[in-house]
Amino acid sequence: MSTQPRRRRLEVEDHGEVTVVNFIDRKILDEQNIAKIGEDLFSLVEELGRKKILLNFSNVEYLSSAALGKFISLNKKVQQAGGKLLMCNINPDIMEVFEITRLDRLFSIQRDEQTALEAF
Amino acid sequence: MRKCFQDGSVEVVIPSDLNEGQQVRDIIETQLRLHHFEEKEIFGIRLALDEAIVNAIKHGNKMDGRKRVHICFHVQIDRFDIHITDEGAGYDPNQVPDPLFDENLERSSGRGIFLMRHYMSEVTVHAPGNRLTMCKVRKKVPLKGDAR
Protein backbone atom coordinates (compact mmCIF):
# COMPACT_ATOMS: atom_id res chain seq x y z
CA MET A 1 0.00 0.00 0.00
CA SER A 2 1.49 3.34 -0.99
CA THR A 3 1.08 6.46 1.09
CA GLN A 4 0.37 9.70 -0.70
CA PRO A 5 3.21 12.21 -0.32
CA ARG A 6 2.25 15.14 1.88
CA ARG A 7 1.80 18.33 -0.10
CA ARG A 8 4.02 21.19 0.96
CA ARG A 9 2.04 24.17 2.21
CA LEU A 10 4.78 26.22 3.85
CA GLU A 11 8.24 27.33 2.86
CA VAL A 12 10.42 27.69 5.93
CA GLU A 13 13.75 29.52 5.97
CA ASP A 14 16.03 30.44 8.83
CA HIS A 15 17.39 33.99 8.98
CA GLY A 16 19.72 33.78 11.98
CA GLU A 17 17.50 33.06 14.96
CA VAL A 18 14.33 33.96 13.10
CA THR A 19 12.27 31.35 11.25
CA VAL A 20 10.58 32.94 8.25
CA VAL A 21 7.47 31.14 7.01
CA ASN A 22 6.06 31.77 3.52
CA PHE A 23 2.71 30.33 2.53
CA ILE A 24 2.67 28.36 -0.73
CA ASP A 25 -1.12 28.69 -1.20
CA ARG A 26 -2.63 31.95 -2.38
CA LYS A 27 -5.93 31.11 -0.73
CA ILE A 28 -5.97 29.86 2.87
CA LEU A 29 -9.65 28.98 2.85
CA ASP A 30 -10.08 25.27 2.67
CA GLU A 31 -10.62 23.77 6.14
CA GLN A 32 -8.52 20.66 5.55
CA ASN A 33 -5.64 22.76 4.26
CA ILE A 34 -5.93 25.08 7.24
CA ALA A 35 -5.78 22.13 9.63
CA LYS A 36 -2.56 20.92 7.96
CA ILE A 37 -1.06 24.42 7.92
CA GLY A 38 -1.89 24.66 11.65
CA GLU A 39 -0.13 21.34 12.36
CA ASP A 40 2.96 22.44 10.42
CA LEU A 41 3.08 25.83 12.18
CA PHE A 42 2.58 24.32 15.65
CA SER A 43 5.33 21.78 15.04
CA LEU A 44 7.79 24.64 14.47
CA VAL A 45 7.28 25.64 18.11
CA GLU A 46 6.41 22.36 19.78
CA GLU A 47 8.76 19.97 18.01
CA LEU A 48 11.51 22.11 16.54
CA GLY A 49 11.65 24.60 19.42
CA ARG A 50 11.61 27.72 17.21
CA LYS A 51 10.93 30.83 19.27
CA LYS A 52 11.13 33.70 16.80
CA ILE A 53 8.70 33.21 13.96
CA LEU A 54 7.83 35.56 11.11
CA LEU A 55 4.80 34.79 8.96
CA ASN A 56 5.27 36.35 5.52
CA PHE A 57 1.91 36.77 3.75
CA SER A 58 3.28 38.05 0.43
CA ASN A 59 1.71 35.15 -1.54
CA VAL A 60 -1.62 35.18 0.30
CA GLU A 61 -4.70 36.69 -1.36
CA TYR A 62 -7.51 35.19 0.75
CA LEU A 63 -7.89 33.74 4.19
CA SER A 64 -10.86 32.66 6.30
CA SER A 65 -11.66 33.01 9.98
CA ALA A 66 -10.52 29.40 10.52
CA ALA A 67 -7.05 30.50 9.38
CA LEU A 68 -7.19 33.45 11.80
CA GLY A 69 -7.98 30.92 14.55
CA LYS A 70 -4.81 28.96 13.77
CA PHE A 71 -2.69 32.14 13.91
CA ILE A 72 -4.21 33.02 17.29
CA SER A 73 -3.38 29.53 18.61
CA LEU A 74 0.14 29.79 17.18
CA ASN A 75 0.63 33.17 18.85
CA LYS A 76 -0.35 31.66 22.22
CA LYS A 77 2.05 28.74 21.77
CA VAL A 78 4.92 31.04 20.80
CA GLN A 79 4.24 33.30 23.79
CA GLN A 80 4.03 30.32 26.16
CA ALA A 81 7.44 29.22 24.86
CA GLY A 82 8.80 32.70 25.64
CA GLY A 83 9.11 33.58 21.97
CA LYS A 84 7.75 36.17 19.55
CA LEU A 85 5.50 35.94 16.49
CA LEU A 86 5.50 38.68 13.84
CA MET A 87 3.65 39.03 10.55
CA CYS A 88 4.51 40.98 7.40
CA ASN A 89 3.54 41.74 3.79
CA ILE A 90 -0.18 41.56 4.43
CA ASN A 91 -2.20 42.82 1.46
CA PRO A 92 -4.77 45.62 2.04
CA ASP A 93 -7.83 43.31 1.76
CA ILE A 94 -6.48 40.89 4.35
CA MET A 95 -5.26 43.79 6.51
CA GLU A 96 -8.87 45.00 6.60
CA VAL A 97 -9.89 41.59 8.01
CA PHE A 98 -7.26 41.96 10.77
CA GLU A 99 -8.42 45.52 11.49
CA ILE A 100 -12.18 44.91 11.63
CA THR A 101 -11.68 41.89 13.90
CA ARG A 102 -9.24 43.96 16.03
CA LEU A 103 -6.63 41.26 15.56
CA ASP A 104 -4.21 43.95 14.41
CA ARG A 105 -3.96 44.74 18.15
CA LEU A 106 -3.24 41.15 19.09
CA PHE A 107 -0.58 40.52 16.46
CA SER A 108 2.55 42.47 15.74
CA ILE A 109 2.25 43.33 12.04
CA GLN A 110 5.15 44.85 10.09
CA ARG A 111 5.20 46.35 6.61
CA ASP A 112 7.81 44.09 5.00
CA GLU A 113 10.22 41.26 5.79
CA GLN A 114 13.26 43.46 6.39
CA THR A 115 11.39 45.71 8.84
CA ALA A 116 10.01 42.64 10.60
CA LEU A 117 13.44 40.98 10.91
CA GLU A 118 14.78 44.17 12.50
CA ALA A 119 11.83 44.26 14.93
CA PHE A 120 12.71 40.96 16.66
CA MET B 1 -27.62 18.49 -8.06
CA ARG B 2 -27.90 21.88 -9.79
CA LYS B 3 -31.03 23.56 -11.18
CA CYS B 4 -30.95 26.81 -13.13
CA PHE B 5 -34.14 28.88 -13.31
CA GLN B 6 -35.38 31.27 -15.98
CA ASP B 7 -34.85 34.34 -13.79
CA GLY B 8 -31.15 33.46 -13.52
CA SER B 9 -31.23 32.00 -10.01
CA VAL B 10 -29.47 28.72 -9.34
CA GLU B 11 -30.32 26.02 -6.79
CA VAL B 12 -27.63 23.58 -5.65
CA VAL B 13 -27.89 20.74 -3.16
CA ILE B 14 -24.59 19.40 -1.86
CA PRO B 15 -23.62 16.71 0.65
CA SER B 16 -21.83 17.72 3.86
CA ASP B 17 -18.47 17.75 2.12
CA LEU B 18 -16.14 20.76 2.36
CA ASN B 19 -14.76 20.14 -1.15
CA GLU B 20 -18.27 20.36 -2.59
CA GLY B 21 -18.74 23.62 -0.71
CA GLN B 22 -15.52 24.91 -2.27
CA GLN B 23 -16.85 24.10 -5.76
CA VAL B 24 -20.05 26.09 -5.13
CA ARG B 25 -17.95 29.06 -3.99
CA ASP B 26 -15.88 28.79 -7.18
CA ILE B 27 -19.04 28.73 -9.36
CA ILE B 28 -20.40 31.83 -7.61
CA GLU B 29 -17.05 33.63 -7.90
CA THR B 30 -17.05 32.97 -11.67
CA GLN B 31 -20.59 34.38 -11.96
CA LEU B 32 -19.64 37.48 -9.96
CA ARG B 33 -16.77 38.13 -12.39
CA LEU B 34 -19.10 37.63 -15.36
CA HIS B 35 -21.36 40.28 -13.82
CA HIS B 36 -18.39 42.67 -13.48
CA PHE B 37 -18.26 42.75 -9.68
CA GLU B 38 -15.08 44.48 -8.50
CA GLU B 39 -12.23 42.49 -6.94
CA LYS B 40 -12.81 44.08 -3.54
CA GLU B 41 -16.50 43.10 -3.62
CA ILE B 42 -15.59 39.56 -4.69
CA PHE B 43 -13.07 39.30 -1.83
CA GLY B 44 -15.75 40.16 0.74
CA ILE B 45 -18.48 37.99 -0.78
CA ARG B 46 -16.10 35.04 -1.08
CA LEU B 47 -15.10 35.42 2.57
CA ALA B 48 -18.75 35.62 3.70
CA LEU B 49 -19.66 32.60 1.55
CA ASP B 50 -16.78 30.61 2.93
CA GLU B 51 -17.87 31.32 6.50
CA ALA B 52 -21.54 30.54 5.77
CA ILE B 53 -21.00 27.30 3.82
CA VAL B 54 -18.37 25.94 6.23
CA ASN B 55 -20.71 26.78 9.16
CA ALA B 56 -23.57 24.89 7.49
CA ILE B 57 -21.47 21.79 6.79
CA LYS B 58 -19.36 21.72 9.94
CA HIS B 59 -21.53 23.20 12.70
CA GLY B 60 -25.02 22.73 11.17
CA ASN B 61 -24.80 19.27 9.65
CA LYS B 62 -21.81 18.30 11.83
CA MET B 63 -20.12 16.79 8.76
CA ASP B 64 -22.83 14.11 8.61
CA GLY B 65 -22.60 12.61 5.11
CA ARG B 66 -26.34 11.80 5.10
CA LYS B 67 -27.29 15.46 5.55
CA ARG B 68 -27.37 17.99 2.73
CA VAL B 69 -26.87 21.72 2.36
CA HIS B 70 -29.39 23.52 0.15
CA ILE B 71 -28.08 26.63 -1.58
CA CYS B 72 -30.02 29.01 -3.80
CA PHE B 73 -28.24 32.03 -5.27
CA HIS B 74 -28.88 34.75 -7.80
CA VAL B 75 -26.21 37.01 -9.26
CA GLN B 76 -27.44 40.16 -10.97
CA ILE B 77 -25.55 43.20 -12.20
CA ASP B 78 -26.59 45.25 -9.17
CA ARG B 79 -26.83 42.63 -6.40
CA PHE B 80 -26.04 39.14 -5.18
CA ASP B 81 -28.51 37.08 -3.10
CA ILE B 82 -28.04 33.73 -1.45
CA HIS B 83 -30.04 31.38 0.83
CA ILE B 84 -28.21 28.58 2.61
CA THR B 85 -30.13 25.93 4.56
CA ASP B 86 -28.57 23.04 6.44
CA GLU B 87 -30.30 20.05 8.02
CA GLY B 88 -29.01 20.66 11.53
CA ALA B 89 -30.79 21.81 14.68
CA GLY B 90 -29.92 25.48 14.14
CA TYR B 91 -28.29 28.00 16.47
CA ASP B 92 -29.00 31.40 17.98
CA PRO B 93 -26.53 33.93 16.55
CA ASN B 94 -27.18 36.18 19.56
CA GLN B 95 -25.50 33.56 21.75
CA VAL B 96 -22.22 33.88 19.85
CA PRO B 97 -19.85 35.98 22.01
CA ASP B 98 -18.92 39.34 20.48
CA PRO B 99 -15.47 38.70 18.95
CA LEU B 100 -14.52 42.37 19.38
CA PHE B 101 -14.65 42.32 23.18
CA ASP B 102 -11.19 42.32 24.75
CA GLU B 103 -11.91 39.07 26.59
CA ASN B 104 -12.81 37.34 23.31
CA LEU B 105 -9.95 38.61 21.15
CA GLU B 106 -7.86 35.50 21.76
CA ARG B 107 -10.68 33.06 21.02
CA SER B 108 -9.72 31.00 18.01
CA SER B 109 -13.29 30.84 16.63
CA GLY B 110 -16.58 32.79 16.60
CA ARG B 111 -15.78 35.42 13.93
CA GLY B 112 -17.79 33.91 11.05
CA ILE B 113 -21.11 35.72 11.50
CA PHE B 114 -19.27 38.95 12.30
CA LEU B 115 -17.33 38.77 9.01
CA MET B 116 -20.50 37.95 7.05
CA ARG B 117 -22.23 41.02 8.53
CA HIS B 118 -19.27 43.24 7.74
CA TYR B 119 -18.89 42.22 4.10
CA MET B 120 -22.54 41.72 3.09
CA SER B 121 -25.31 44.34 2.92
CA GLU B 122 -27.78 42.17 4.87
CA VAL B 123 -27.45 38.91 6.78
CA THR B 124 -30.42 37.17 8.42
CA VAL B 125 -30.40 33.93 10.38
CA HIS B 126 -33.94 32.51 10.36
CA ALA B 127 -35.34 30.51 13.28
CA PRO B 128 -34.55 27.84 14.32
CA GLY B 129 -31.17 28.99 13.03
CA ASN B 130 -30.44 26.55 10.22
CA ARG B 131 -31.36 28.94 7.38
CA LEU B 132 -29.33 31.97 6.43
CA THR B 133 -30.04 34.63 3.83
CA MET B 134 -27.49 37.19 2.71
CA CYS B 135 -27.37 39.84 0.04
CA LYS B 136 -24.83 42.26 -1.31
CA VAL B 137 -26.27 45.36 -2.93
CA ARG B 138 -23.73 47.14 -5.10
CA LYS B 139 -23.21 50.84 -4.44
CA LYS B 140 -21.72 51.46 -7.85
CA VAL B 141 -23.06 49.53 -10.81
CA PRO B 142 -21.23 49.71 -14.16
CA LEU B 143 -23.28 51.22 -16.97
CA LYS B 144 -24.01 48.92 -19.92
CA GLY B 145 -21.33 50.51 -22.08
CA ASP B 146 -18.74 50.23 -19.28
CA ALA B 147 -18.93 46.43 -19.07
CA ARG B 148 -15.65 44.99 -20.30
Side-chain angles (χ1 to χ4, degrees), chain A residues 43-92:
Chain A
S43 77
L44 290 174
V45 187
E46 292 172 337
E47 289 166 34
L48 302 174
R50 308 289 170 91
K51 289 191 173 176
K52 293 181 180 177
I53 298 177
L54 171 60
L55 301 182
N56 187 333
F57 285 81
S58 57
N59 292 331
V60 182
E61 292 175 0
Y62 281 106
L63 52 75
S64 69
S65 72
L68 295 177
K70 292 295 176 196
F71 301 143
I72 292 168
S73 301
L74 176 68
N75 195 38
K76 284 183 199 163
K77 287 179 194 295
V78 171
Q79 284 180 346
Q80 279 162 8
K84 194 170 178 182
L85 173 74
L86 264 64
M87 297 176 168
C88 71
N89 283 331
I90 298 181
N91 84 24

Side-chain angles (χ1 to χ4, degrees), chain A residues 87-104:
Chain A
M87 297 176 168
C88 71
N89 283 331
I90 298 181
N91 84 24
D93 287 334
I94 296 178
M95 194 61 207
E96 184 182 338
V97 176
F98 279 92
E99 285 166 358
I100 61 168
T101 52
R102 294 183 69 223
L103 290 177
D104 58 327

Side-chain angles (χ1 to χ4, degrees), chain B residues 2-3 5 7-12 24-25 27-29 31 49 71-75 80-83:
Chain B
R2 180 154 39 136
K3 279 188 203 166
F5 297 94
D7 67 351
S9 59
V10 179
E11 195 183 307
V12 192
V24 176
R25 294 197 294 275
I27 291 167
I28 293 174
E29 188 174 337
Q31 285 222 10
L49 276 179
I71 300 167
C72 184
F73 65 89
H74 193 185
V75 184
F80 164 68
D81 292 88
I82 187 162
H83 304 243

Side-chain angles (χ1 to χ4, degrees), chain A residues 31 63 65 76 96 102, chain B residues 40 47 51 58 100 106:
Chain A
E31 283 272 317
L63 52 75
S65 72
K76 284 183 199 163
E96 184 182 338
R102 294 183 69 223
Chain B
K40 194 167 175 56
L47 195 57
E51 300 297 337
K58 208 171 142 184
L100 300 187
E106 289 199 66

Side-chain angles (χ1 to χ4, degrees), chain B residues 93-108:
Chain B
N94 297 320
Q95 298 299 313
V96 179
D98 188 330
L100 300 187
F101 285 177
D102 284 344
E103 63 268 31
N104 297 330
L105 270 193
E106 289 199 66
R107 288 175 71 108
S108 59

